[in-house]
Amino acid sequence: MKCLVCIPSKGRPNNIKKFVEPFMKKLGLDYKIFVEPQDLKNYNFKNVVSLDSNNNGLGYSMSQAKKYCIENGYDICFKIDDDVVSIGEIEKDINKILDAFKIKRIGAVVFPYDFEFYAKTKKLFTRVNKRVQTCYLIRTEIFNPQKEVSTFEDFYQFLNLISKGYNTLYCSKHLIKCNAVGSGNGGLQDFDRSEMALKEINIFKSIDPTIEVISKPNKPWKYEPKFTDKKYRSKQI
């Protein structure tokens, strides 16, 4: 399986030297950093790809990443944020993780955050159908980023995968280490996230009316979708 690491970045060029380059050196996969035209002058690094336009959000950036993957023959898109320090020691198991996609029903591989330390295991994969969050590997052919969905871009991929009959594999051996979600400058912090959240949840509900809205008053986005139907429940393997 040919895999490209796709790193969306907006207004955070300092993160490239600080986080992206050290991690990518360890990981050893092909990678591209997707940047808006207005930011190009500040991103004087290798492997930078310019988007077609500015200020269209994460969903748009990832749709451009998917297009790049298709045009360059990458079977798997590995989405990683620009403030991710590491995903455990994933570099030691990356070939085994990619081999999981030989199982046709596996659509994505997902990971817990490092603050979910209780989830960490010695076993590589422990559950199916845990929700997609922040960093994930996904089949390019079924990757479905949308310009209209940025705040819950990862939730949307999970919804799409389950709706199409695919499973996610939960890689609980390796945990995402990054800045606190919603912290720092740049990225989605440059948008009104609470307004975006409600609009996006309405899109989710138009696809599956069983999805509910829950309040997250301590988060910048204030609301989240909640998957209530049993088809979204994860299972131990």
Side-chain angles (χ1 to χ4, degrees):
M1 290 283 185
K2 189 178 177 184
C3 177
L4 180 69
V5 179
C6 299
I7 304 165
S9 189
K10 176 180 172 63
R12 301 198 291 208
N14 292 339
N15 282 8
I16 307 306
K17 285 288 184 185
K18 187 176 182 180
F19 302 122
V20 172
E21 290 185 346
F23 186 17
M24 292 303 102
K25 185 176 181 180
K26 286 193 300 181
L27 188 57
L29 295 175
D30 294 347
Y31 74 94
K32 295 294 178 183
I33 305 162
F34 293 87
V35 173
E36 294 177 348
Q38 65 187 356
D39 282 346
L40 275 178
K41 63 182 181 297
N42 298 320
Y43 280 78
N44 188 24
F45 309 104
K46 296 179 180 178
N47 300 312
V48 170
V49 176
S50 177
L51 303 178
D52 290 341
S53 60
N54 298 313
N55 301 321
N56 280 316
L58 177 58
Y60 175 77
S61 178
M62 294 315 298
S63 70
Q64 295 276 289
K66 174 180 179 172
K67 180 182 176 184
Y68 186 96
C69 285
I70 292 171
E71 291 174 348
N72 291 277
Y74 288 97
D75 308 289
I76 305 295
C77 171
F78 189 175
K79 187 256 181 178
I80 297 179
D81 285 359
D82 67 2
D83 61 351
V84 172
V85 178
S86 64
I87 305 176
E89 295 181 302
I90 191 175
E91 59 274 9
K92 295 181 179 179
D93 287 319
I94 191 61
N95 290 331
K96 292 178 183 178
I97 290 170
L98 290 172
D99 281 346
F101 287 95
K102 292 177 181 178
I103 303 170
K104 292 184 178 180
R105 196 168 178 181
I106 298 303
V109 173
V110 304
F111 308 89
Y113 291 110
D114 64 348
F115 63 77
E116 300 173 293
F117 56 88
Y118 48 83
K120 184 172 173 57
T121 60
K122 293 182 179 180
K123 187 179 178 182
L124 189 60
F125 301 117
T126 55
R127 302 188 74 85
V128 294
N129 292 349
K130 287 287 281 184
R131 183 177 66 77
V132 177
Q133 53 185 21
T134 300
C135 299
Y136 54 89
L137 296 93
I138 189 167
R139 293 183 187 273
T140 302
E141 63 183 342
I142 56 172
F143 188 29
N144 189 30
Q146 298 291 320
K147 178 181 175 181
E148 295 80 14
V149 181
S150 288
T151 296
F152 301 124
E153 175 270 337
D154 45 4
F155 285 76
Y156 188 75
Q157 297 312 317
F158 182 60
L159 172 61
N160 183 59
L161 286 161
I162 299 302
S163 298
K164 291 185 176 180
Y166 285 92
N167 294 136
T168 68
L169 266 182
Y170 187 55
C171 182
S172 50
K173 183 178 178 181
H174 301 293
L175 280 60
I176 303 165
K177 183 177 182 180
C178 62
N179 283 340
V181 178
S183 67
N185 298 317
L188 282 177
Q189 276 49 260
D190 287 352
F191 298 89
D192 182 343
R193 298 191 70 179
S194 60
E195 181 182 353
M196 290 171 66
L198 289 174
K199 287 180 179 178
E200 292 175 18
I201 292 170
N202 284 332
I203 293 172
F204 285 31
K205 289 175 70 65
S206 72
I207 297 169
D208 182 352
T210 69
I211 293 172
E212 297 178 356
V213 183
I214 57 174
S215 178
K216 292 285 182 176
N218 296 324
K219 300 291 186 181
W221 47 91
K222 305 300 181 186
Y223 310 95
E224 278 186 8
K226 182 178 181 180
F227 297 102
T228 59
D229 194 278
K230 63 182 181 180
K231 66 185 176 184
Y232 301 113
R233 295 175 189 166
S234 70
K235 298 177 183 178
Q236 190 172 359
I237 54 175

